[in-house]
Amino acid sequence: MSELIVIRSGPAVTVQDGGRPGLLAEGLSRGGAADPDALAEGAALLGQSPDLAALEMAGYGGAFAVTSATRLALTGAPMRADVDGRPVAWNGSHVIGPGQVLTIGGCERGAYGYLHLAGGIATAPVLGSRAAHLVAGIGAAVAAGARLPLGSDSGGHAGMILDVEERFSGGEIRIVHSAQTALFPQAERERFTATEFVRDDRANRMGMRLTMAGAGFSAEGQLSILSEVIVPGDIQVTGDGTPFVLLPECQTTGGYPRIGTVIPADLPRAAQAGPGARLRFRFVGLEEALAAERQHRAVVRSLSQRVRPAIRDPRDIPDLLSYTLIGGMISAQDEEP
Amino acid sequence: MAAQSGGFPMIRTLGLTGLLVSFGDRLSEPANRAALAFRAAVENEAWPGVEETSTSLASVFLRFDPVSVAPADLRHRIAQLLAARDWLAAPLPANRRRWRIPTVYGTDLAPQLHEAAAAAGMSPEDAIAELSRTTVRVLTIGFAPGQPYLGELPPAWDIPRQVALTRRVPEGALVVAIRQFVLFSAATPTGWRHIGQTAFRAFRPESAEPFPLRPGDELIFPAIGREEYEALRAADTTGDGGAERELIG
């Protein structure tokens, strides 16, 4: 079985897939990739199932090698990446052979980059998923020296690229009502949507803190709210009025009021707002949110049709030759782009 | 039982993909029973598009796919099911268990017993006597995997959470506030006071039964000495930490 060898690793690199939906009643939040769109993009680039596990790299990547020639793809927050010093395209698929080193640096913007391997990362599932859920004590961050087993490659192209919508610099996020939105007076809600927020450095897979210039936000009867169900995307306002956007490893219940919930279509953009990114929120009705959801699903479904060969650049020709040598071992379908 | 506007039961949206059905805005025994029974009824209905349900202390949450079921249709079905019976009079779930989980009260293992007893207006000895003989019920599982909220304790235990958080209590910690216990399933910071320590693991990801406790289960935390605790812990292979369980119907 092929393995991914972790030579160096950033502090928050974890194996992630779609997580564990269905265990909310057991107190376990879904977890899984902070940017599910990036999982779908990597799957499209490699021509494989979006259910396969990839490496999620929060902020910083690492250095990686393989035990046999392997197709891979890079998606999510753009990071500087090279193979043996030769830059490789983000939102692209590539091949590395044994002895080569893939180096992935820090995020240029955004928060979570992804390294996908053909066949997926094939660690043992726990409760139906390979995703690390550090808050729940499932799995652990990937550390230097780790060797992660890979599934078998069903075959496909490399040297492909995908144009993706820019979602790594904050911007406008659409929200709908949460169970406690009505506890925030209308004037507070209006002030919330008129405020420009900055994504704070304090963020992890549980949630991200937002800062703003004005006073904190408050709900009526805030201290006596019964602990209630939380879903990822909820914007929780803590006792001092600071909003937090809750992410896949959030707790499943909580007593702080939620002013709104990010719509699923915009949650990747919210999660991918890197440190210092500016965010604004806009309330939309359920009809508009539903239309956005349909459109988002259509975009995700169209990903595999939008994958295209990288345009040949004369500077890449020596590398293309080496790629063809290795690629030929992977799959007869691989052709020079 | 009609869903009145502004009254209970109340149906609210929780994001695009969630509906929350609440039987009260504070914890009560009937509201908790209603939530457990209504969730079971919703599960039994197996409505298309409903992907997951859960309960909190007094509410039922439904997660659904808004593309395959219109939110307004689902709301209508919920309202009809709410009207079908008096959920506040619903019985407790079937197949409940009673657990006896040996517990060390106080000592350096659970250093806030004295402080909590003082807040409840009793001596540490009386606190142990009362807490170790009170049967509590799993009101809901939540916050962290497998983690039970347990109640209700006698009125003296309506003590507030601490203002400052305790930096870390270990897995198996029994903490108290607002007439409830929580039995922590993982090491965590908390505002609740740490009065007992068990060797019980409420989340066992590697086990065939990863979430041993269920809403409606009854729990008693009999007092044991430190030596007995250490022995139970050393001998434990299942995560039960010396707990006994029996079916109570």
Side-chain angles (χ1 to χ4, degrees):
Chain A
M1 184 181 259
S2 268
E3 288 177 321
L4 180 75
I5 300 165
V6 180
I7 301 165
R8 282 187 291 109
S9 175
V13 176
T14 54
V15 175
Q16 294 297 337
D17 55 20
R20 300 174 180 82
L23 294 174
L24 199 54
E26 308 290 2
L28 182 59
S29 53
R30 174 182 183 139
D35 179 358
D37 287 1
L39 278 190
E41 289 157 1
L45 278 162
L46 293 174
Q48 62 188 19
S49 166
D51 298 331
L52 295 175
L55 273 194
E56 178 178 280
M57 304 170 287
Y60 192 87
F64 307 93
V66 289
T67 55
S68 60
T70 301
R71 298 188 305 134
L72 62 89
L74 300 163
T75 68
M79 296 168 147
R80 287 177 296 278
D82 68 73
V83 174
D84 290 347
R86 169 181 61 94
V88 292
W90 206 258
N91 294 312
S93 61
H94 312 280
V95 173
I96 63 168
Q100 292 188 302
V101 175
L102 168 68
T103 304
I104 303 175
C107 288
E108 291 168 357
R109 55 190 193 284
Y112 298 96
Y114 293 83
L115 167 59
H116 310 260
L117 291 311
I121 294 172
T123 47
V126 175
L127 296 170
S129 162
R130 298 184 164 91
H133 192 311
L134 300 185
V135 175
I138 300 173
V142 168
R147 296 174 75 102
L148 303 174
L150 302 179
S152 60
D153 184 359
S154 51
H157 298 277
M160 308 299 280
I161 56 170
L162 179 62
D163 297 317
V164 305
E165 192 197 2
E166 164 62 44
R167 59 171 186 278
F168 308 105
S169 304
E172 185 188 84
I173 306 291
R174 290 165 290 183
I175 58 177
V176 291
H177 281 203
S178 184
Q180 293 119 0
T181 301
L183 298 180
F184 289 85
Q186 183 63 27
E188 278 294 83
R189 282 184 254 165
E190 284 170 9
R191 194 165 66 84
F192 184 79
T193 52
T195 298
E196 184 176 70
F197 295 95
V198 175
R199 196 277 226 173
D200 195 43
D201 289 344
R202 277 169 278 184
N204 57 28
R205 289 175 39 80
M206 289 182 77
M208 56 192 232
R209 186 174 189 268
L210 303 176
T211 59
M212 65 274 170
F217 297 90
S218 60
E220 288 160 2
Q222 168 149 353
L223 295 176
S224 58
I225 291 171
L226 195 61
S227 195
E228 202 46 270
V229 174
I230 286 177
V231 295
D234 277 1
I235 304 173
Q236 170 177 281
V237 178
T238 53
D240 64 358
T242 305
F244 284 76
V245 179
L246 299 177
L247 295 175
E249 283 185 25
C250 60
Q251 61 274 34
T252 64
T253 57
Y256 291 124
R258 267 106 351 108
I259 195 166
T261 302
V262 177
I263 66 171
D266 285 358
L267 197 48
R269 173 183 294 275
Q272 286 285 18
R278 292 168 193 280
L279 294 161
R280 280 179 181 275
F281 297 95
R282 177 166 69 89
F283 276 106
V284 297
L286 288 180
E287 284 306 313
E288 186 175 343
L290 188 54
E293 180 64 16
R294 289 183 196 278
Q295 188 190 1
H296 181 243
R297 290 188 194 186
V299 169
V300 170
R301 275 196 302 272
S302 73
L303 286 173
S304 45
Q305 282 99 63
R306 287 167 32 219
V307 169
R308 60 185 173 83
I311 295 165
R312 179 198 291 262
D313 182 318
R315 288 173 299 182
D316 291 339
I317 286 177
D319 304 311
L320 287 173
L321 290 174
S322 67
Y323 148 69
T324 306
L325 276 173
I326 300 161
M329 300 175 353
I330 297 290
S331 161
Q333 295 172 48
D334 276 335
E335 289 172 2
E336 196 174 299
Chain B
M1 190 171 188
Q4 307 138 357
S5 66
F8 293 98
M10 182 190 284
I11 307 172
R12 289 173 285 179
T13 61
L14 212 166
L16 175 63
T17 60
L19 283 170
L20 189 70
V21 183
S22 301
F23 293 92
D25 58 2
R26 53 194 306 130
L27 172 64
S28 71
E29 209 272 340
N32 181 250
R33 266 191 287 110
L36 297 179
F38 190 71
R39 181 194 175 211
V42 170
E43 288 279 319
N44 196 42
E45 293 286 330
W47 290 323
V50 174
E51 297 182 328
E52 166 166 34
T53 67
S54 70
T55 57
S56 53
L57 291 168
S59 303
V60 177
F61 174 69
L62 290 83
R63 182 170 63 80
F64 63 97
D65 176 5
V67 170
S68 62
V69 57
D73 290 351
L74 186 55
R75 242 184 138 103
H76 181 67
R77 287 184 162 185
I78 291 170
Q80 281 189 316
L81 188 59
L82 281 172
R85 62 182 282 194
D86 180 3
W87 296 96
L88 293 173
L92 282 165
N95 299 317
R96 297 185 307 124
R97 290 84 49 88
R98 182 180 294 124
W99 300 77
R100 292 172 189 279
I101 301 178
T103 304
V104 177
Y105 288 90
T107 80
D108 59 316
L109 288 175
Q112 291 176 295
L113 175 73
H114 285 245
E115 186 186 321
M122 62 183 83
S123 68
E125 295 72 26
D126 288 347
I128 294 173
E130 183 160 81
L131 295 176
S132 65
R133 286 172 199 147
T134 301
T135 298
V136 288
R137 216 168 62 211
V138 179
L139 301 168
T140 187
I141 301 283
F143 193 82
Q147 183 165 295
Y149 285 71
L150 301 154
E152 270 194 306
L153 291 167
W157 293 97
D158 193 8
I159 61 174
R161 299 177 185 85
Q162 309 171 99
V163 177
L165 294 184
T166 304
R167 201 174 59 80
R168 183 180 181 278
V169 297
E171 181 181 16
L174 187 65
V175 302
V176 67
I178 53 170
R179 294 185 69 181
Q180 292 172 45
F181 283 138
V182 171
L183 178 57
F184 275 110
S185 65
T188 183
T190 182
W192 297 39
R193 287 184 175 87
H194 185 191
I195 51 91
Q197 184 62 40
T198 74
F200 188 84
R201 296 180 60 217
F203 178 45
R204 308 171 190 175
E206 71 293 341
S207 154
E209 192 183 25
F211 309 100
L213 299 176
R214 295 200 288 254
D217 280 3
E218 291 184 354
L219 276 70
I220 305 172
F221 295 94
I224 57 167
R226 172 104 195 221
E227 299 72 27
E228 192 180 343
Y229 166 83
E230 298 293 355
L232 284 173
R233 195 179 178 85
D236 188 38
T237 54
T238 61
D240 275 354
E244 296 165 14
R245 69 167 113 174
E246 59 178 316
L247 200 62
I248 54 174

